[in-house]
Amino acid sequence: MAFTPVFHSEWIKIRTLRSEIAALASIPAVTALFSALASSDTGGDDFDPLFAVFFGVTFGQIAAIAFGTTAVSSEFQGGALRLSLAAVPHRGRWFAAKAAAIAVPVLAVGLVTGLVTLMVGKAVLGTKADGLDWAEQTRGVVGCAVYLTLMALFAAGLTALLRSGAATLGILIPFLLIVSFVIGDMSNNIADLLPDRAGQVALHETWDGAMGPWTGLAVTALWTALALAAGAWSVRRRDA
Amino acid sequence: MTSIDVRDLTKEYGTRRAVDHVTFGVRPGKVTGFLGPNGAGKSTTMRLVLGLDRPTSGTATIGGRPYAALTEPLRHVGALLDAQAAHGSRTGRDHLRALAASNRIPAARVDAVLEETGLASVARRRVKTYSLGMRQRLGIAGALLGDPEVVLLDEPSNGLDPEGIVWIRELLRRLATEGRTVLVSSHLMNETASFADHLVVLGRGRLLADTPMRDFIDARVQPHVRIRTTDPGALKNALARHGHDAVEHEDGHWTVAHARVDEIGTLLSTAGVPILELASAEGTLEEAYLDLTAAETEFTAQNQEA
């Protein structure tokens, strides 16, 4: 079977679910809102203008994760997966199409999110954002889009492995909003390798760890690849 | 070549054997009823045929090939497994459009099957507003989407109203007349008797029967004769003289087992017994099935004792 029709089918499934459209739409809304709030508070000596602009990604990623999770978890309701795999028995190809149908819209929305957030953040920061050059701003926008896409796919892979959206969100949301902050504050090199902390280096103007912005995103990509491989293994090996 | 062939198929879940060395074939041009109590392994067998579950041993093929080897399988095989498979938040039409797109089935087919299953007027409503009967029809619409030569339906009459039951019966008959291979599981005997030509019967994962429906009934249920009379004494005497045993029933009619109506009619007439009603009663699928399962239970009990 060819890949394109399967991708088309998966894309129809995503865009015909209101919850998926709502999750996509809230990625830029939430990110820009929290960036605006964070940028208005610019105290502290570790002030990083680029991360002040993109701080909202910490919350916007929850919407991206909800999007990736729902796209996969809807297959585990009422025997939907059986119908999908009866239509596309090539399970690896089916899961690849599902992942692509998640990645493409998140990447597109992520770029829009990056641009909107940059404009909002700069407007709120005013002169404090003057130090950001074009290269840094472009890195922020692209990094934001790539990071959100990787996190959505990470969630999708985890959902396929756990076969449950509730379990995935139950693990990821507390991890991203609480655990990662706590471990991050202890500030050791291991914590820097966590999927969210590694990827978010790309959203900083300066960094002090060993990883640069692109190495950081590569580490996140590795986590995502791992989650997708585990999800694909689960889809291929288990009875539907 | 569009037969379904199941060969020595076995599926174990942990220590439980859901399907136990089952072999049977489903041929085109007929409706094959797939019978057995709940938990007999019917649904598991269907999932194995569709390549959704991995068999512990044995094979299941369609037209000689495993399901997973079919390109664009919906164009060859249509299946209804679970009426709940459509997402409640999607419209019926969008559900079918996504399904059609994966196998490059033209969008016109979506509207055609919605029309055929009587869902055209609710096609743009979300599935969560559908009744069970409408969901069942949507599942059947999905099975017919690719105009397949092979159709597998798991309990299709579930939740259908009387009108829907007549509709599904006519649909199944028509699919068989068109030369398609039709396998329909059910645990409802009268319902199955109304559409099946052939029967495959499972019990606790094992194959109990694979025969034409008429043969199945005739082999297990003796036809009997039903009589009503105003003179029971004369009736009993006349029958006893010819070695027949008449049994009286609560509402006052009598039955004679192992007898044919032409013989009984003649002898009663000769003996001058007044007759109000004389009819030959054919065995029903239900009687035949209960006879089979009773024999099966006995067999199992004996085996366990031994």
Side-chain angles (χ1 to χ4, degrees):
Chain A
M1 287 177 82
F3 179 81
T4 318
V6 185
F7 172 77
H8 184 209
S9 167
E10 290 305 322
W11 170 234
I12 293 175
K13 282 191 203 169
I14 284 174
R15 73 178 164 77
T16 53
L17 280 189
R18 285 186 202 172
S19 55
E20 288 292 69
I21 299 301
L24 266 186
S26 58
I27 297 174
V30 170
T31 307
L33 177 71
F34 278 93
S35 283
L37 292 174
S39 301
S40 57
D41 171 26
T42 55
D45 17 311
D46 57 349
F47 174 71
D48 182 311
L50 194 62
F51 193 61
V53 167
F54 285 104
F55 176 76
V57 169
T58 314
F59 296 91
Q61 69 179 334
I62 303 296
I65 283 163
F67 176 80
T69 301
T70 313
V72 177
S73 69
S74 62
E75 296 285 344
F76 294 107
Q77 291 167 5
L81 182 66
R82 288 189 188 134
L83 193 60
S84 300
L85 295 182
V88 187
H90 202 305
R91 297 185 181 195
R93 189 160 304 166
W94 174 80
F95 192 62
K98 177 70 96 184
I102 293 167
V104 171
V106 177
L107 191 66
V109 169
L111 284 170
V112 174
T113 303
L115 286 170
V116 171
T117 306
L118 182 68
M119 284 188 289
V120 170
K122 276 169 69 179
V124 176
L125 279 178
T127 52
K128 288 184 179 170
D130 288 350
L132 294 174
D133 62 27
W134 267 109
E136 285 164 346
Q137 293 180 28
T138 311
R139 165 157 64 79
V141 171
V142 173
C144 164
V146 172
Y147 174 75
L148 289 171
T149 308
L150 291 174
M151 291 310 278
L153 288 174
F154 181 74
L158 204 58
T159 309
L161 178 67
L162 300 174
R163 307 189 130 207
S164 156
T168 304
L169 294 177
I171 291 170
L172 281 185
I173 292 179
F175 175 80
L176 292 172
L177 293 183
I178 303 162
V179 180
S180 183
F181 275 99
V182 175
I183 298 178
D185 280 350
M186 295 185 213
S187 177
N188 56 52
N189 292 336
I190 306 287
D192 289 343
L193 291 172
L194 291 174
D196 58 328
R197 297 190 64 82
Q200 287 179 17
V201 173
L203 307 177
H204 287 75
E205 188 185 22
T206 55
W207 56 90
D208 34 48
M211 282 184 300
W214 305 116
T215 329
L217 280 173
V219 169
T220 304
L222 208 64
W223 281 95
T224 299
L226 218 62
L228 285 175
W233 172 84
S234 171
V235 167
R236 293 182 63 169
R237 294 295 308 208
R238 292 200 216 168
D239 288 341
Chain B
M1 267 303 287
T2 51
S3 296
I4 303 171
D5 283 292
V6 169
R7 291 265 167 278
D8 206 23
L9 196 63
T10 299
K11 176 67 180 176
E12 287 167 358
Y13 295 104
T15 56
R16 198 174 64 85
R17 192 169 279 185
V19 177
D20 192 355
H21 297 287
V22 166
T23 299
F24 66 89
V26 185
R27 306 287 164 237
K30 293 189 284 198
V31 179
T32 300
F34 199 16
L35 287 177
N38 292 328
K42 304 188 298 289
S43 300
T44 306
T45 304
M46 285 191 164
R47 287 202 303 276
L48 290 166
V49 169
L50 295 169
L52 296 171
D53 286 11
R54 215 175 277 262
T56 306
S57 65
T59 59
T61 55
I62 293 174
R65 297 202 294 170
Y67 185 87
L70 300 172
T71 45
E72 300 183 329
L74 298 185
R75 292 167 175 270
H76 305 284
V77 183
L80 162 74
L81 289 183
D82 191 338
Q84 307 304 322
H87 197 289
S89 303
R90 233 173 246 132
T91 68
R93 192 164 181 277
D94 284 339
H95 168 75
L96 294 176
R97 277 174 61 214
L99 205 55
S102 66
N103 280 239
R104 295 189 306 146
I105 294 165
R109 279 295 298 165
V110 170
D111 294 313
V113 294
L114 282 166
E115 195 67 50
E116 190 175 353
T117 51
L119 291 174
S121 61
V122 295
R124 285 163 203 277
R125 268 170 51 186
R126 298 214 263 169
V127 173
K128 68 171 78 158
T129 67
Y130 286 16
S131 66
L132 177 58
M134 285 153 84
R135 284 174 201 233
Q136 204 75 29
R137 284 168 183 264
L138 182 61
I140 294 165
L144 300 178
L145 196 57
D147 197 17
E149 311 100 84
V150 179
V151 180
L152 288 91
L153 305 175
D154 196 1
E155 305 273 357
S157 23
N158 252 358
L160 289 181
D161 53 18
E163 204 181 309
I165 295 199
V166 174
W167 168 75
I168 187 90
R169 183 186 306 160
E170 286 169 358
L171 173 73
L172 295 171
R173 295 299 330 153
R174 200 195 75 213
L175 292 172
T177 311
E178 289 167 354
R180 298 176 213 257
T181 305
V182 186
L183 180 66
V184 186
S185 84
S186 181
H187 60 270
L188 303 173
M189 297 303 140
N190 293 338
E191 188 45 37
T192 306
S194 72
F195 56 66
D197 306 294
H198 195 91
L199 292 178
V200 171
V201 186
L202 290 190
R204 272 182 261 165
R206 286 184 300 130
L207 183 77
L208 301 184
D210 175 9
T211 52
M213 185 168 75
R214 202 61 257 166
D215 295 0
F216 180 76
I217 297 171
D218 290 347
R220 306 207 152 258
V221 186
Q222 291 290 336
H224 57 268
V225 177
R226 177 191 158 97
I227 306 156
R228 283 202 303 132
T229 178
T230 51
D231 189 349
L235 176 77
K236 281 185 78 166
N237 286 337
L239 289 171
R241 276 200 301 278
H242 291 83
H244 290 293
D245 208 9
V247 181
E248 186 177 12
H249 294 265
E250 273 181 21
D251 68 342
H253 81 265
W254 296 73
T255 53
V256 186
H258 312 296
R260 295 175 59 223
V261 72
D262 355 15
E263 184 201 351
I264 301 290
T266 316
L267 81 84
L268 291 181
S269 154
T270 313
V273 178
I275 298 297
L276 298 179
E277 181 187 329
L278 178 73
S280 95
E282 294 292 330
T284 65
L285 177 57
E286 190 163 56
E287 289 170 311
Y289 176 78
L290 291 176
D291 178 72
L292 171 75
T293 46
E296 175 64 15
T297 313
E298 206 171 292
F299 172 76
T300 314
Q302 278 172 358
N303 265 17
Q304 279 167 352
E305 277 167 32

